[in-house]
Amino acid sequence: QASNAASATLTGFRLLSDASTAVLNIEVYRGTLSALDMNVIVKLCAINQACDKRTATFAFSFRDPTATFVLYYNPIQAFTDGLIPMVAQVENLPAAVNASEVVVSVGPNNASSVTVIRGSPTLGGTDATLEFVIPGVASPTTVSPLLMIPRLGLSVPFSTDFSYVQAPDPTISQ
């Protein structure tokens, strides 16, 4: 299904060996450089025949290609002690921002020792790798980390939650 701003095209089809499962390759395009949500509807239609009544519909979202976005980060969990290094890959970090302006909130506390390693220029700034040390917490919990640049009023959630887990009890041997 297509609209003025986006379209989807079937680029491949194959039937798996069980003969009941089909794999479709679909390419989705957008006509504008902005955020866009669309529904893709897949119908089975034989050549010169009516389409099957069964359809598959799924939502698809394009991010704004100029917006700051945390692509991924590692690790995704740590012991409650914290104080370990974390790396986050950021797309479109504003070019005029330096490490002292970057705040990474990991639950109730902010990360320390933030460094910014710039990469390739992008539509909205540069790709960048952030390195920082995550804080500890009092007990196991799951948090939603945020990348913040207060001067710009920017607050960007990480793509997934981060978990603090209980460290194992120490083993004392004789």
Side-chain angles (χ1 to χ4, degrees):
Q1 184 175 23
S3 71
N4 292 338
S7 65
T9 304
L10 178 66
T11 60
F13 173 89
R14 65 185 166 97
L15 198 57
L16 297 183
S17 61
D18 68 5
S20 66
T21 306
V23 176
L24 305 174
N25 296 338
I26 300 172
E27 290 186 5
V28 182
Y29 304 93
R30 72 171 146 202
T32 60
L33 290 177
S34 62
L36 175 68
D37 293 324
M38 65 182 280
N39 287 322
V40 177
I41 300 172
V42 179
K43 295 180 179 182
L44 181 60
C45 302
I47 297 174
N48 297 325
Q49 294 181 6
C51 294
D52 192 304
K53 292 181 181 178
R54 296 172 290 180
T55 63
T57 303
F58 59 93
F60 191 87
S61 294
F62 287 102
R63 287 186 291 109
D64 179 342
T66 63
T68 302
F69 185 76
V70 179
L71 293 171
Y72 64 88
Y73 66 97
N74 189 37
I76 58 171
Q77 76 173 21
F79 294 133
T80 55
D81 306 8
L83 303 179
I84 63 166
M86 180 182 278
V87 174
Q89 184 65 43
V90 179
E91 186 176 76
N92 294 320
L93 187 69
V97 170
N98 60 50
S100 66
E101 297 177 283
V102 174
V103 177
V104 179
S105 171
V106 186
N109 302 307
N110 293 335
S112 60
S113 304
V114 177
T115 60
V116 175
I117 303 166
R118 295 284 178 173
S120 304
T122 62
L123 292 173
T126 61
D127 286 337
T129 300
L130 303 181
E131 296 176 345
F132 47 91
V133 176
I134 62 169
V137 293
S139 60
T141 188
T142 299
V143 297
S144 299
L146 285 172
L147 165 63
M148 297 179 291
I149 304 170
R151 176 178 63 86
L152 300 178
L154 189 65
S155 180
V156 180
F158 280 36
S159 52
T160 58
D161 288 343
F162 178 81
S163 296
Y164 283 103
V165 296
Q166 185 64 46
D169 290 332
T171 303
I172 301 172
S173 61
Q174 296 180 354

